[in-house]
Amino acid sequence: MTRRPRRDLLAGLTVAIVALPLALGFGISSGMGAEAGLATAVVAGALAAVFGGSGLQVSGPTGAMTVVLVPIMAQHGASGVLTVGVLAGLMLIALALAKAGKYMALVPAPVVEGFTIGIACVIGLQQVPAALGVPTPEGEKVVVVAWEAVRDFAARPQWWAVGIALAVAAIMIVGARWRPTVPFSLLAVAAATVAVALADLPVSTIGELPAGLPAPSIGFIDPAALSSLIAPAIAVAALAGLESLLSAAVADGMSVNHKHDPDRELFGQGLANLVSPMFGGVPATGAIARTAVNVRSGASSRLASLAHAGILAVIVYTAAGLVAKIPLAALAGVLLATAVRMVEVGSVKAMVRSTRGDAVVLVLTAIATLALDLVQAVILGLLVAGALALRSIARNVRLDAMPIHDDLTGDHTDQELDLLAEHIVAYRLDGPLFFAAAHRFLLELSEVAHVSVVILRMSRVTTIDASGALVLGDAIARLRHRGITVYVSGIRNGHHKPLRALGVIERLAEEGRVFATTPEAIAAARDHLHHKGVIPATTG
């Protein structure tokens, strides 16, 4: 299975130490409880490790998924969250069978960066009630809930909780810069737990946990509620696929010779999400932070991530009593530090400075993630990024007047060349002729000065769609209406179909005005002008 089992087992132990407080914290933040987070880390972590497409990926509950699950929990309860997990698992398996993994890589970097910033803000706001030592207020909007928690704290301050949360967060942030390999999150949580127990501080703890995983069951599925859970399940599946493949790509970048299989990764995540709810777990994804720890710890195979799940299972079955004494404020501190560390300031600054479009996409996606939901934010980011990309591509289409003497055949005097150039103008279309660029092309071509013949050179048109073909036809019709004869040259093989299907060059072809090369078109134009008596018979 691996040539370095000892190093993989050590990496698995390291990841498990880092993952324990995160699994507990994200389980609590989702509303399903600490036991749900642990079950997810164990079951989903093991299944994704074995069946996923990355040998280095570590899966489990994540902050991004928690953000999506909170409103589902508020609207549909625990059974709704579990059912959504099953449905999302089935959808991910279907995407894997449809070979859709490669398309997830098309999400632009500014969308991912803005998405990450928004998630970090949401995770931070979700921890406000626990960090302040007050009960979590009712509501779906995280900003409103955080504000209500601040008001409750102002009425009944709980300074011990605030101190614990800030101390744990500070230890993690400072410790990570000082000794990145040391698991300061677990050390800080353990210290806070011991301090609370010895001093009998008045702060809330996780509370009693079951010693072990529950027996698998699908009793939570309510057939009558399935239709109302399809949309949330699509959101969960989309997020699980996107985050998992992004995390797997990060692992590839950190390793030397490792490359993940995106379709197999979707299958593994689908299977993990299908089975995890049967043990009371929440939907899972690949976890970027834990995966990075795994790679940095020397993992070289699936054994490391599988060992991480196994070690957490041992904790579930043997140390539930100790875990129950962990203060909620300490876990809030862990997640606050996690949120801060999610945002790479240098990367954000570089992206904002790169282009105005990238900055707009990043900021809009971040705001939408905070104000809307994650999937809507990604869709909005993709739409804006796509629109800006289309605008950029559309600006690349050019209509350039080209001298015809370079393409003339035979010997001609200067007087003859001047006479031909006076009556014939050749325009070279350069770039994509599609819906985003078609209107500008039409305006430019319609402003052609008075000449007798226009030759449209199309050998450099990179793509043409129905809109572009129709606009080309409209431009040709306008030129003909003004008494200008139009010739077309150099149409690429793949472009004949849309032009013929829409009848754009049918009439020109019948009149013999469509040519493979520009010299042929110029020769035909010269003969045409000669027969009309526009130029003397001696020309040519």
Side-chain angles (χ1 to χ4, degrees), residues 303-317:
L303 179 60
S305 50
L306 187 59
H308 134 271
I311 292 167
L312 290 178
V314 172
I315 293 173
V316 169
Y317 280 96

Side-chain angles (χ1 to χ4, degrees), residues 10-19 22 56 58 180-183 250 254 287-299 304 341:
L10 183 59
L13 174 61
T14 304
V15 177
I17 291 172
V18 172
L22 292 176
L56 304 175
V58 178
T181 57
V182 177
V250 169
M254 294 180 66
I288 295 177
R290 277 157 274 177
T291 298
V293 170
N294 193 40
V295 178
R296 284 197 295 262
S297 299
R341 292 168 61 186

Side-chain angles (χ1 to χ4, degrees), residues 132-153:
L132 297 179
V134 299
T136 303
E138 295 291 330
E140 297 178 23
K141 296 297 182 182
V142 66
V143 176
V144 176
V145 171
W147 173 247
E148 290 296 329
V150 171
R151 292 179 60 184
D152 291 346
F153 174 80

Side-chain angles (χ1 to χ4, degrees), residues 509-533:
E510 291 174 354
E511 296 173 351
R513 304 193 192 281
V514 178
F515 296 91
T517 66
T518 301
E520 292 176 290
I522 293 175
R526 183 188 59 201
D527 292 342
H528 169 72
L529 294 177
H530 165 62
H531 288 302
K532 289 186 65 176

Side-chain angles (χ1 to χ4, degrees), residues 27-285:
I28 293 170
S29 294
S30 70
M32 292 288 288
E35 61 270 25
L38 285 174
T40 306
V42 172
V43 178
L47 288 172
V50 175
F51 296 100
S54 171
L56 304 175
Q57 177 96 284
V58 178
S59 300
T62 62
M65 187 59 74
T66 299
V67 175
V68 174
L69 296 180
V70 169
I72 299 175
M73 181 69 181
Q75 293 179 19
H76 304 283
S79 62
V81 172
L82 298 176
T83 304
V84 161
V86 171
L87 294 175
L90 293 172
M91 292 176 185
L92 286 169
I93 291 173
L95 287 173
L97 296 177
K99 305 291 184 183
K102 56 182 176 291
Y103 298 111
M104 293 289 185
L106 301 179
V107 180
V111 175
V112 175
E113 200 69 50
F115 177 71
T116 303
I117 294 171
I119 290 171
C121 292
V122 174
I123 292 172
L125 289 170
Q126 282 179 341
Q127 308 318 308
V128 171
L132 297 179
V134 299
T136 303
E138 295 291 330
E140 297 178 23
K141 296 297 182 182
V142 66
V143 176
V144 176
V145 171
W147 173 247
E148 290 296 329
V150 171
R151 292 179 60 184
D152 291 346
F153 174 80
R156 297 178 299 277
Q158 305 288 333
W159 294 110
W160 282 115
V162 174
I164 291 171
L166 292 179
V168 169
I171 290 171
M172 283 184 62
I173 293 172
V174 175
R177 294 180 178 177
W178 178 49
R179 290 285 191 274
T181 57
V182 177
F184 282 101
S185 59
L186 188 65
L187 294 178
V189 169
T193 304
V194 171
V196 168
L198 292 178
D200 195 21
L201 299 179
V203 296
S204 300
T205 60
I206 289 178
E208 186 177 351
L209 290 175
L213 297 175
S217 170
I218 57 172
F220 54 83
I221 296 179
D222 179 9
L226 290 178
S227 59
S228 63
L229 295 173
I230 294 296
I234 292 174
V236 168
L239 177 60
L242 178 63
E243 190 174 13
S244 297
L245 292 178
L246 176 62
S247 176
V250 169
D252 289 350
M254 294 180 66
S255 59
V256 178
N257 296 316
H258 186 272
K259 185 172 178 60
H260 74 282
D261 180 339
D263 295 317
R264 182 177 172 183
E265 182 61 27
L266 287 179
F267 178 81
Q269 295 295 336
L271 189 61
N273 279 285
L274 179 64
V275 177
S276 178
M278 300 178 188
F279 291 88
V282 298
T285 77

